[in-house]
């Protein structure tokens, strides 16, 4: 096992990784920007190194600075965390070339899954169901129009380098297509430096269901069940739960086993997530994330497995400590992403936390790196805490979440806690009857086709 690890990330995930290391007596080095000098992970790490100014491109994305920090602190391995360089194949390659272990999959797999058009083609060949769409990138407007007419509107134009919902535009009709195509390309180019796009049929009422997988370097790969991440805003997850209230035991087993089989065939090492859209009893591959996910704790809750510990274990070249038949799912879990944002306008709210009282008690876990007196810097994403709830049943989770939200106090900045409270009290959420559009329709950000239908039938 490793003796010393460099954590190339920030915020709660840097702390999460530090915690897993601490429990295994692995020394940690946390690198940070000038703006993160007072971060909790920096304070708790065995060592810390400032790698540059606030802007991510000069610090958390600064590969030479990170590798230099790794060399001077003499670490064995580098954990890239989530976001930043975690899905950068070039970084993974350079880490290994400099003699450190990259805690993640091989650069080849990161590359293959990082281009979403290539990923789709690859997993289709390996046997996963995919959404109808262009077989490859779509280079011109004319070709895009032609393919869209073939598959039928509405269509979704998506960036091959996509992430965080960027570079994704819907065209409901042929007339809307040209504009949407141009906008998707421009947005993708600005966000990822790559404007290539592909086209998919736009599904009307799907759920987002993803399967946690893990593989080792000995040819073993298993799944750890699914997470339902359908509560979204702007294609971004807001609240997740595991298991999914929508799947039958048969469907759960089917998609879990299929996902594990694909990962085994790939010879994939490390943790990963295969994301699907699920509609009318059918699954469609969306993408594979070749890293830890923000929402990994809910899988830890229902399986009892520390995913970061297991990630370190397989990265060090060890075989998985369990087999598929050892994995049992117990109880239910929710995760609320608490962002420092206005709960209605979603405008980021950086600044000083004047009061912080996280909830506690049975079945409540808070993964957060903020503390009273801490100033949230304005340069990074606005996730400040994950409220994770465990219950024997979904109903117990609902009651416990209500109790935990009533205890949670954050003052000095706006947070999305009131949004979670609102979601919790909505009937559709309580009954598990929601899809990826539900929250935006509820918030009035998207037209509700059912409401329209009701009006039409009233008029008729
Ligand atoms: P990103 O990598 O930007 O997160 P994904 O491909 O994972 O992009 O999709 C993000 C979200 O966008 C999904 O969870 C879903 O809500 C929506 N989405 C993606 N593809 C489709 C589709 N073909 N039809 C309807 N919604 C989609």
């Amino acid at each position: 096992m490793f003796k010393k690890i460099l954590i190339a990330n920030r915020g709660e995930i840097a702390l999460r990784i530090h915690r897993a290391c601490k429990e295994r007596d692995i020394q940690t080095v946390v690198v940070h920007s000038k703006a993160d000098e007072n971060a909790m992970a920096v304070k708790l790490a065995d060592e810390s190194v400032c790698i540059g100014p606030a802007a991510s491109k000069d610090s958390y994305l600064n590969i030479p600075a990170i590798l230099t920090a790794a060399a001077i602190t003499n670490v064995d391995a580098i954990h890239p965390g989530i976001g930043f360089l975690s899905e950068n194949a070039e970084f993974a390659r350079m880490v290994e070339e400099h003699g450190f272990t990259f805690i993640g999959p091989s650069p080849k797999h990161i590359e293959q899954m990082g281009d979403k058009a290539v990923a789709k083609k690859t997993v289709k060949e390996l046997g996963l169901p995919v959404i109808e769409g262009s077989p490859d990138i779509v280079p011109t407007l004319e070709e895009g129009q032609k393919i869209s007419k073939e598959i039928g509107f509405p269509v979704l134009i998506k960036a091959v380098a996509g992430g965080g919902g960027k570079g994704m535009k819907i065209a409901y009709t042929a007339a809307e297509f040209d504009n949407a195509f141009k906008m998707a390309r421009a947005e993708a180019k600005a966000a990822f430096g790559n404007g290539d796009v592909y086209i998919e049929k736009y599904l009307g009422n799907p759920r987002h269901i993803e399967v946690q997988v893990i593989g080792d370097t000995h040819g073993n790969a298993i799944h750890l069940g699914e997470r339902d991440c359908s509560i979204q805003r702007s294609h971004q997850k807001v609240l997740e739960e595991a298991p999914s209230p929508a799947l039958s035991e048969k469907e759960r087993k089917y998609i879990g086993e299929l996902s594990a089989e694909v990962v085994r065939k790939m010879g994939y090492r490390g943790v990963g997530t295969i994301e699907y859209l699920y509609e009318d009893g059918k699954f469609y591959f969306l993408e594979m994330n070749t890293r830890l996910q923000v929402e990994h704790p809910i899988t830890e809750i229902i399986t009892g497995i520390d995913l970061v510990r297991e990630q370190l274990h397989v990265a060090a070249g060890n075989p998985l400590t369990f087999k598929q038949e050892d994995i049992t799912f117990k109880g239910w879990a929710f995760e609320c992403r608490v962002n420092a944002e206005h709960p209605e306008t979603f405008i980021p709210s950086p600044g000083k936390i004047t009061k912080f009282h996280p909830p506690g008690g049975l079945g409540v876990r808070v993964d957060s790196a903020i503390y009273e007196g801490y100033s949230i810097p304005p340069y990074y994403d606005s996730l400040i805490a994950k409220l994770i709830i465990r219950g024997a049943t979904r109903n117990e989770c609902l009651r416990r979440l209500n109790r935990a939200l009533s205890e949670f106090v954050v003052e000095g900045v706006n947070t999305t806690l009131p949004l979670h409270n609102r979601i919790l009290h909505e009937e559709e959420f309580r009954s598990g009857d929601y899809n990826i559009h539900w929250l935006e329709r509820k918030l009035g950000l998207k037209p509700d086709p059912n409401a329209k239908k009701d009006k039409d039938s009233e008029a008729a």
Side-chain angles (χ1 to χ4, degrees):
M1 187 37 91
F2 308 117
K3 289 202 168 56
K4 199 174 183 185
I5 284 175
L6 182 140
I7 302 169
N9 217 293
R10 64 177 304 282
E12 67 80 26
I13 202 65
L15 185 59
R16 168 71 189 89
I17 298 160
H18 166 80
R19 284 174 169 154
C21 292
K22 189 77 189 165
E23 289 179 11
R24 307 211 83 190
D25 292 326
I26 298 169
Q27 299 273 301
T28 54
V29 178
V30 167
V31 293
H32 64 91
S33 73
K34 195 92 182 80
D36 275 337
E37 272 168 346
N38 294 318
M40 179 103 87
V42 173
K43 289 178 193 284
L44 289 178
D46 295 297
E47 290 171 60
S48 63
V49 181
C50 182
I51 48 165
S56 304
K57 69 171 177 32
D58 300 319
S59 49
Y60 297 104
L61 298 173
N62 184 343
I63 297 177
I66 294 169
L67 292 176
T68 307
I72 58 173
T73 54
N74 201 21
V75 299
D76 306 312
I78 299 183
H79 196 308
I82 291 173
F84 295 122
L85 296 168
S86 62
E87 290 178 291
N88 183 316
E90 191 50 31
F91 176 62
R93 203 168 277 130
M94 287 177 78
V95 165
E96 309 238 299
E97 278 167 10
H98 283 74
F100 310 109
T101 301
F102 179 74
I103 302 174
S106 68
K108 181 189 114 189
H109 286 140
I110 300 176
E111 214 149 51
Q112 209 172 35
M113 295 297 129
D115 181 313
K116 290 165 71 170
V118 174
K120 204 171 160 182
K121 248 201 288 187
T122 309
V123 300
K124 191 176 174 198
E125 280 163 19
L126 292 172
L128 288 188
V130 300
I131 306 175
E132 198 184 350
S134 61
D136 221 319
I137 57 170
V138 178
T140 62
L141 268 176
E142 296 67 37
E143 212 163 306
Q145 279 280 13
K146 187 168 160 268
I147 288 166
S148 303
K149 275 180 198 137
E150 272 163 30
I151 59 179
F153 286 93
V155 298
L156 193 60
I157 303 146
K158 299 173 76 171
V160 296
K166 288 199 197 90
M168 209 185 281
K169 292 280 171 259
I170 308 168
Y172 288 97
T173 60
E176 281 176 17
F177 183 83
D178 291 7
N179 220 358
F181 186 82
K182 284 182 201 152
M183 275 164 63
R185 284 184 64 106
E187 203 175 289
K189 178 87 186 142
F192 315 110
N194 176 359
D196 288 344
V197 295
Y198 64 109
I199 294 174
E200 259 175 13
K201 176 94 192 135
Y202 181 69
L203 300 184
N205 289 302
R207 296 180 82 110
H208 173 119
I209 291 180
E210 57 182 37
V211 178
Q212 177 70 55
V213 292
I214 181 163
D216 64 20
T217 46
H218 302 263
N220 307 304
I222 64 162
H223 74 88
L224 297 169
E226 86 282 3
R227 297 182 285 257
D228 195 318
C229 312
S230 306
I231 307 280
Q232 301 185 352
R233 192 187 67 84
S234 298
H235 304 301
Q236 295 204 26
K237 299 161 188 168
V238 172
L239 185 158
E240 304 95 348
E241 63 179 304
S244 167
L247 295 195
S248 65
E249 267 316 312
K250 203 171 146 207
E251 288 172 313
R252 174 165 298 122
K253 196 164 157 13
Y254 158 76
I255 200 62
E257 286 177 1
L258 189 63
S259 305
E261 192 187 316
V262 164
V263 170
R264 203 172 307 121
K265 282 187 197 158
M266 283 169 71
Y268 184 87
R269 137 197 122 198
V271 301
T273 295
I274 307 191
E275 298 189 334
Y276 300 91
L277 289 180
Y278 169 82
E279 191 176 65
D280 299 331
K282 290 204 186 87
F283 293 92
Y284 305 91
F285 170 82
L286 253 190
E287 66 167 340
M288 178 170 185
N289 289 321
T290 52
R291 55 165 168 82
L292 197 66
Q293 300 269 96
V294 173
E295 59 276 21
H296 76 275
I298 55 174
T299 297
E300 299 186 318
I301 300 284
I302 63 161
T303 59
I305 287 167
D306 177 338
L307 274 169
V308 180
R309 192 184 68 193
E310 218 44 46
Q311 195 180 21
L312 300 176
H313 184 77
V314 298
N318 300 302
L320 283 172
T321 46
F322 37 75
K323 296 194 177 64
Q324 190 67 61
E325 53 269 31
D326 301 329
I327 308 296
T328 51
F329 303 109
K330 204 164 161 225
W332 212 278
F334 289 145
E335 176 187 274
C336 298
R337 297 190 186 199
V338 182
N339 291 346
E341 285 169 2
H342 190 280
E344 282 156 25
T345 61
F346 302 102
I347 293 171
S349 180
K352 189 165 176 176
I353 311 270
T354 53
K355 200 174 237 175
F356 181 56
H357 177 86
L362 185 66
V364 176
R365 163 176 165 185
V366 178
D367 279 18
S368 173
I370 65 165
Y371 53 88
E372 214 159 278
Y374 173 73
S375 272
I376 302 165
Y379 315 104
Y380 313 107
D381 82 42
S382 53
L383 180 74
I384 54 164
K386 302 190 299 200
L387 171 59
I388 303 137
I389 303 292
R390 166 170 57 87
T393 60
R394 190 169 190 272
N395 200 29
E396 188 173 68
C397 268
L398 289 170
R399 289 172 173 278
R400 193 162 280 158
L401 178 56
N402 189 40
R403 188 270 289 171
L405 285 171
S406 75
E407 290 174 22
F408 209 150
V409 179
V410 183
E411 286 178 12
V413 297
N414 290 318
T415 77
T416 50
L417 281 167
L419 174 69
H420 289 292
N421 202 42
R422 176 169 176 191
I423 294 170
L424 173 65
H425 290 95
E426 291 290 348
E427 195 35 52
E428 293 93 338
F429 175 68
R430 300 188 75 80
S431 63
D433 180 18
Y434 56 82
N435 61 48
I436 59 165
H437 307 300
W438 175 79
L439 180 61
E440 291 190 324
R441 285 174 185 158
K442 206 79 219 170
L443 297 173
L445 301 171
K446 236 184 215 171
D448 184 341
N450 296 324
K452 188 171 172 296
K453 236 186 270 156
D454 290 348
K455 256 193 230 143
D456 290 349
S457 52
E458 269 165 36

